[in-house]
Each structure stands twice: as structure tokens, then as C-alpha cells.
């Protein structure tokens, strides 16, 4: 069975850990959207790896990792990541493939991302400054540069003229920019020989792999609530982080996605601007941030923290067809007197249980909480469900009830082995 693993919240739910954990059951792990705005952390016996562009399955030998057409690729970031892995004994050669249709993030995208944010001032999005939005802008405007275009680097070829036009257009918008098209082209020409062996028609590769019976895991970046269409627009990323993005971002039929695992923290976090209805501005928010080490894996920015938002999670379950949740960071709630779940929002005199589509309306929502007793015995490192304190089990059961989905995986620490897999909650084929 092929499985899509994606974020059910605003990113950083622990997708990296869950993908790495499940990879031994799969032959291929494929990223379908986003770029190096993502930071997916994997701990292997205490050793920390942060993956930005390369799928989080790469740490397992024999697994093929795919960067799909829906991803925007910064080649400098890609090679830095390959080098980081090589320096730690992980060789990607022969098992990392990049789609010829993936769009490139070029230096002018990064420059423009920073400038656009500065110009927005108070209305800034709080992007990761990686050039993600501007690269997708060029893609949609049909002036982007794709990986496969690098095959023709001739000075009067289509790639060179596209880059010249794009640099000239950006330079008109950025008055003090001294960017030169020839420098951009020169850098690409230097990187191409190294990239060429990785480039292929990844849609065809996936088609053949599935035909041969290799199981594919689709790895989402960001989260459902940052999705360009379904997230809290405009405070979103520029791609479809929801399950549908896996089909378009990899060129596989929607039916290839046979199950969806939504990763959600046992509380909630968000980096950057935009509404977060359950955000805690008090000592509890600070406690979650410090205990959960809630600082961005890519940018180091402190993450905003709040109680579990079941309205938002239910929405993510609905739009992605989430079959089960992987509930992470349960251990971060250890030792609290009480824990809260937001089961509805209050907007003026109205109580609502569905996520408003309008972001100003979402920002006006106040959480309606249910309070439950916390647990005093730690859950950290526990690997069997029955050994969790009864209050923690009740909390999980209530989350399952209000989100109307089973919690098939429960994570109690950052390392691979700090995990509970509840095989009784899902079909046997899920994890081999
Ligand atoms: P991703 O972007 O969804 O892959 O998540 P990040 O890697 O950005 O952030 C998740 C953070 O939580 C990482 O530092 C993980 O090592 C850590 N983590 C994941 N699961 C757990 C868990 O169950 N308990 C604790 N304490 N940390 C976890
Ligand atoms: P992973 O995959 C959390 C947020 C940024 C900003 C908004 C737009 O690690 O979960 P962008 O640079 O994409 O244009 O920024 O999206 N954002 C993330 N937040 N986790 C991520 O990735 C994110 N990638 C982007 O903070 O609010
Ligand atoms: Mg992250």
C-alpha cells in the first residue's frame, strides 16, 4: 500500500521522524512540493539530521528518494545537503532522483523574497526567505526555469534567453540590484554536470516502481493549514501541501495514494505570521516552547505554541482524507496539571465547529476549550500503548473522538525507537 505522510497543522509536526521511522516498509520515498523552506528532523541513536529538500527516507540504505516536479529546487541547497550526508557516511548516488520538470529557485528569487517581505511591512507573511514564493510565481506565470532546461546551456539557447529576461525584469523591480544574468548562467553551468546524473522523468520512474510492486511513501512538506488553497491565505506557503499535491507534484494518479497519515503534535505550533487561534502568550506557551524545543529547524525562529486545535485538525482530516494520525511530542505535555483541547471556536455570540475559510474571520475566533487532567508519570520514551499513564490514554482517546480519526502512531520522543505503533487501529497492509 502506498502512503502519503503529511502535516495536519501549520508545519513542523514531526513529519521527518515519522517518514524515517516508516521507511523500512517502503521502496521509494518521494517529496511532492515545497523546497528547502522545509526542515525535517530525524534523530538516529542521538545523532541529529535535518533534511530540507531530500526526502527523510534517505538515511535507510536501498531506498530510492525522489524529488518530484512539484518541488522547487535550489541547487546550492541541494548539493549542500548531499555533501552534508556524504560527510556523515551517507551516499546518495544511484538512489536520489530529481524530476526534469522541477522548477529551479534562482538567486533572484531569494533576493525578491526578502525584498517583498520588507515591502509588505506590517502585512509580512514571515517567509523563510528561501525564494519559494517567487519561484512558484515564475512557474505559474510560465516563465520559470526547469531542471531539464539545463541540458541546453548554449548562450543563445532558450534557457539563456529566459534567464536574461527574468533577471532584467527583476532588476527593473529591484532598483539597487546588480544581479547579472551571465553570473546566474555561469553558476548553473558549473552545477549541471553534477546534477545531470540525478535527473530523470520521475513520474515514469514511479509508475514503473509501482508496477513492480515497490511501495511508495509520499512525503509532504509544510502542513495542510499552510496550503496555498486551503490554508490561512495569504499566510501560507506557495504550494499544495495537502494530499492532492502528491498527485500533481509527482505525476502519479490520485488513486496511487492509497492511505493518508496526518502528522499532528499533541499541541500546536506555527512559525511566521497569521492566525493561530489557540496561541498561548503566557507561561504555558513558554513552557511548551522550551520543553518542546520549538525553534525552527530551517531558520531557528521561535515557534508560536498553543493547545491542540481539534477544529483545525478535523478540517485537515477532511480535506486530506486522513485515515489515521501520527500524534507526536506527547512527552512534551508530561507533568502538566491539566491539558486543554480546543473543540470549537467562538466568534462573537456564535459557536462554530468548522474552520472559517476567511482568514480575518479565523483571526477573530476565540478557542472553546475542554480541560482534562494531565499526567504525572512521564510518557517520554514509552513504546507500548498500555504503559502510558491512564490520563494520557484518555487524552488521546478524546483527541481521536473529537477529530474522528484513530491515532495509529504515537511519538514519545525524537528518536526512532521512541514510538508506539497501534497496529490494531489501522489495516494490516499499512506498515508491511
Ligand atoms: P517536520 O518539519 O514536520 O519534520 O518537523 P521538525 O523536524 O521541523 O520539528 C519537529 C521537532 O520535534 C524535531 O526537532 C523533532 O526531532 C522533534 N520530535 C519529533 N517527534 C517528537 C516527540 O515525540 N517528542 C519530542 N520531544 N520531540 C519530537
Ligand atoms: P516543514 O516542512 C513550518 C511557513 C513560513 C511562513 C510561510 C511561508 O518543516 O514543516 P515560505 O518560505 O514557504 O514562503 O513561507 O510558511 N513555513 C513553514 N512553517 N514548517 C515548514 O516546513 C514551513 N515552510 C514554510 O514560516 O509562515
Ligand atoms: Mg520542520
Amino acid at each position: 500500500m502506498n502512503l502519503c505522510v503529511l502535516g495536519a497543522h501549520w508545519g513542523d509536526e514531526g513529519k521527518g521522524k515519522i517518514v524515517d521511522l516508516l521507511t523500512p516498509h517502503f521502496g521509494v520515498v518521494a517529496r511532492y512540493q515545497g523546497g528547502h523552506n522545509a526542515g525535517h528532523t530525524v534523530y538516529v541513536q542521538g545523532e541529529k539530521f535535518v533534511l530540507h529538500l531530500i526526502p527523510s527516507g534517505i538515511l535507510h540504505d536501498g531506498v530510492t528518494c525522489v524529488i518530484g516536479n512539484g518541488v522547487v529546487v535550489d541547487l546550492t541547497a541541494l548539493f549542500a545537503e548531499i555533501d552534508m550526508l556524504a560527510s556523515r557516511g551517507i551516499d546518495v548516488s544511484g538512489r536520489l532522483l530529481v524530476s526534469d520538470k522541477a522548477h529551479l529557485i534562482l538567486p533572484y528569487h531569494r533576493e525578491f523574497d526578502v525584498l517583498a517581505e520588507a515591502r509588505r511591512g506590517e502585512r509580512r507573511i514571515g517567509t523563510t526567505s528561501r525564494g519559494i514564493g517567487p519561484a512558484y510565481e515564475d512557474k505559474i506565470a510560465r516563465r520559470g526555469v526547469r531542471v531539464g532546461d539545463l541540458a541546453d546551456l548554449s548562450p543563445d539557447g532558450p534557457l539563456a534567453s529566459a534567464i536574461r529576461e527574468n533577471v532584467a525584469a527583476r532588476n527593473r523591480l529591484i532598483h539597487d540590484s546588480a544581479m547579472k544574468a551571465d553570473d546566474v548562467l555561469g553558476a548553473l553551468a558549473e552545477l549541471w554536470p553534477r546534477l545531470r546524473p540525478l535527473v530523470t522523468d520521475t513520474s515514469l520512474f514511479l509508475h514503473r516502481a509501482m508496477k513492480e510492486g515497490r511501495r511508495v511513501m509520499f512525503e509532504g512538506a509544510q502542513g495542510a493549514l499552510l496550503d496555498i488553497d486551503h490554508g490561512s491565505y495569504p499566510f501560507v506557503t506557495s504550494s499544495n501541501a495537502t494530499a492532492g499535491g502528491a498527485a500533481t507534484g509527482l505525476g502519479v494518479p490520485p488513486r496511487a495514494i492509497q492511505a493518508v497519515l496526518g502528522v499532528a503534535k499533541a499541541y500546536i505550533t506555527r512559525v511566521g505570521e497569521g492566525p493561530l487561534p489557540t496561541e498561548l502568550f503566557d507561561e504555558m506557551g513558554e513552557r511548551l516552547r522550551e520543553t518542546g524545543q520549538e525553534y525552527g529547524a530551517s531558520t531557528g525562529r521561535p515557534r508560536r505554541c498553543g493547545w491542540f486545535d481539534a477544529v483545525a485538525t478535523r478540517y485537515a482530516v477532511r480535506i486530506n482524507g486522513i485515515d489515521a494520525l501520527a500524534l507526536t511530542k506527547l512527552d512534551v505535555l508530561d507533568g502538566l496539571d491539566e491539558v486543554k483541547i480546543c473543540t470549537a471556536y467562538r466568534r462573537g455570540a456564535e459557536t462554530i465547529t468548522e474552520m472559517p475559510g476567511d482568514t480575518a474571520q479565523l483571526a477573530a475566533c476565540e478557542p472553546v476549550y475542554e480541560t482534562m487532567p494531565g499526567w504525572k508519570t512521564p510518557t517520554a520514551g514509552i513504546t507500548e500503548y498500555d504503559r502510558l499513564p491512564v490520563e494520557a490514554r484518555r487524552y488521546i482517546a478524546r483527541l481521536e473522538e473529537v477529530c474522528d480519526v484513530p491515532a495509529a502512531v504515537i511519538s514519545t520522543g525524537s528518536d526512532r525507537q521512541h514510538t508506539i505503533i497501534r497496529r490494531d487501529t489501522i489495516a494490516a497492509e499499512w506498515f508491511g
Side-chain angles (χ1 to χ4, degrees):
M1 202 182 231
N2 303 321
L3 180 69
C4 182
V5 177
L6 50 75
H9 290 160
W10 274 283
D12 302 329
E13 299 89 348
K15 299 175 289 294
K17 167 180 166 158
I18 301 298
V19 169
D20 166 74
L21 173 81
L22 301 180
T23 294
H25 303 294
F26 294 84
V28 182
V29 182
R31 271 278 304 271
Y32 57 87
Q33 46 69 237
H36 66 312
N37 49 348
H40 296 179
T41 314
V42 178
Y43 276 89
V44 185
Q45 287 159 344
E47 198 186 342
K48 182 181 180 180
F49 294 85
V50 182
L51 296 153
H52 301 284
L53 264 171
I54 299 179
S56 307
I58 199 73
L59 305 183
H60 295 266
D61 286 341
V63 171
T64 308
C65 287
V66 171
I67 296 179
N69 58 275
V71 176
V72 281
V73 182
D74 180 314
L75 293 180
T76 312
L78 176 65
F79 290 124
E81 209 165 313
I82 293 174
D83 291 341
M84 176 277 288
L85 290 169
S87 74
R88 298 168 76 177
I90 293 149
D91 183 10
V92 305
S93 45
R95 57 193 197 93
L96 176 65
L97 304 175
V98 180
S99 167
D100 54 351
K101 292 180 184 158
H103 279 248
L104 292 176
I105 298 183
L106 294 167
Y108 47 87
H109 295 130
R110 287 194 297 272
E111 194 179 66
F112 203 70
D113 195 355
V114 174
L115 183 85
E117 280 286 269
R119 284 184 182 166
R120 280 184 204 113
E122 293 271 282
R123 290 171 43 254
R124 72 185 178 278
I125 293 161
T127 73
T128 58
S129 312
R130 301 290 197 265
I132 305 290
Y136 279 115
E137 271 178 51
D138 278 1
K139 171 177 174 172
I140 301 301
R142 296 163 294 183
R143 57 170 177 253
V145 174
R146 308 203 292 184
V147 164
D149 296 337
L150 296 177
D152 180 1
L153 281 155
S154 55
D156 46 5
L159 171 75
S161 59
I163 288 191
R164 285 208 181 91
E165 270 174 39
N166 286 341
V167 169
R170 295 290 174 184
N171 284 351
R172 281 195 294 276
L173 290 169
I174 310 174
H175 298 300
D176 56 354
S177 174
M179 196 164 293
K180 291 192 177 66
D182 284 343
D183 294 346
V184 177
L185 281 162
L188 290 175
E190 246 171 69
L191 294 169
W192 175 236
R194 200 175 169 198
L195 180 66
R196 189 170 33 201
L198 314 184
V199 178
T200 193
D201 178 344
T202 49
S203 161
L204 183 60
F205 167 82
L206 286 166
H207 170 80
R208 288 183 176 151
M210 290 189 285
K211 222 170 166 188
E212 285 163 15
R214 292 174 80 185
R215 302 179 65 200
V216 181
M217 178 156 43
F218 307 108
E219 175 178 357
Q222 291 79 54
L225 307 172
L226 285 170
D227 181 279
I228 184 74
D229 285 285
H230 303 289
S232 46
Y233 192 90
F235 303 104
V236 291
T237 192
S238 299
S239 64
N240 285 116
T242 39
T248 54
L250 287 163
V252 299
R255 274 178 299 186
I257 308 159
Q258 293 162 316
V260 182
L261 181 68
V263 188
K265 276 178 193 159
Y267 47 100
I268 206 161
T269 64
R270 176 167 200 169
V271 221
E273 306 301 317
L276 180 63
T278 62
E279 184 164 10
L280 294 164
F281 298 96
D282 57 4
E283 275 172 23
M284 185 56 72
E286 196 54 39
R287 175 170 173 161
L288 291 177
R289 180 157 42 250
E290 290 314 313
T291 314
Q293 277 304 295
E294 296 296 354
Y295 295 91
S298 278
T299 60
R301 290 180 293 174
R303 295 176 183 147
R304 299 152 64 193
C305 300
W307 294 118
F308 189 93
D309 186 336
V311 181
T313 314
R314 272 199 301 268
Y315 173 66
V317 168
R318 171 162 64 81
I319 62 175
N320 290 292
I322 290 175
D323 298 291
L325 290 177
L327 196 65
T328 61
K329 304 192 101 164
L330 183 68
D331 54 298
V332 174
L333 302 181
D334 286 354
L336 297 180
D337 293 328
E338 47 187 37
V339 285
K340 293 188 185 182
I341 304 172
C342 164
T343 52
Y345 297 149
R346 191 161 295 125
R347 201 177 50 202
E350 211 187 347
T351 300
I352 51 174
T353 52
E354 296 294 342
M355 190 90 171
D358 179 79
T359 298
Q361 286 188 29
L362 179 64
C365 286
E366 295 285 336
V368 176
Y369 285 123
E370 246 180 58
T371 303
M372 297 186 72
W375 46 94
K376 292 292 164 200
T377 22
T379 67
I382 288 185
T383 55
E384 287 160 56
Y385 189 71
D386 295 340
R387 295 193 49 206
L388 290 175
V390 64
E391 296 85 354
R393 276 181 277 146
R394 285 194 186 125
Y395 178 65
I396 295 165
R398 187 64 187 139
L399 293 185
E400 291 179 305
E401 208 166 56
V402 291
C403 298
D404 195 22
V405 72
V409 179
I410 292 157
S411 174
T412 58
S414 51
D415 226 283
R416 275 178 191 162
Q417 68 263 31
H418 301 149
T419 318
I420 300 166
I421 297 192
R422 294 164 75 204
R423 290 180 185 275
D424 54 320
T425 64
I426 42 163
E429 312 85 82
W430 264 52
F431 307 141

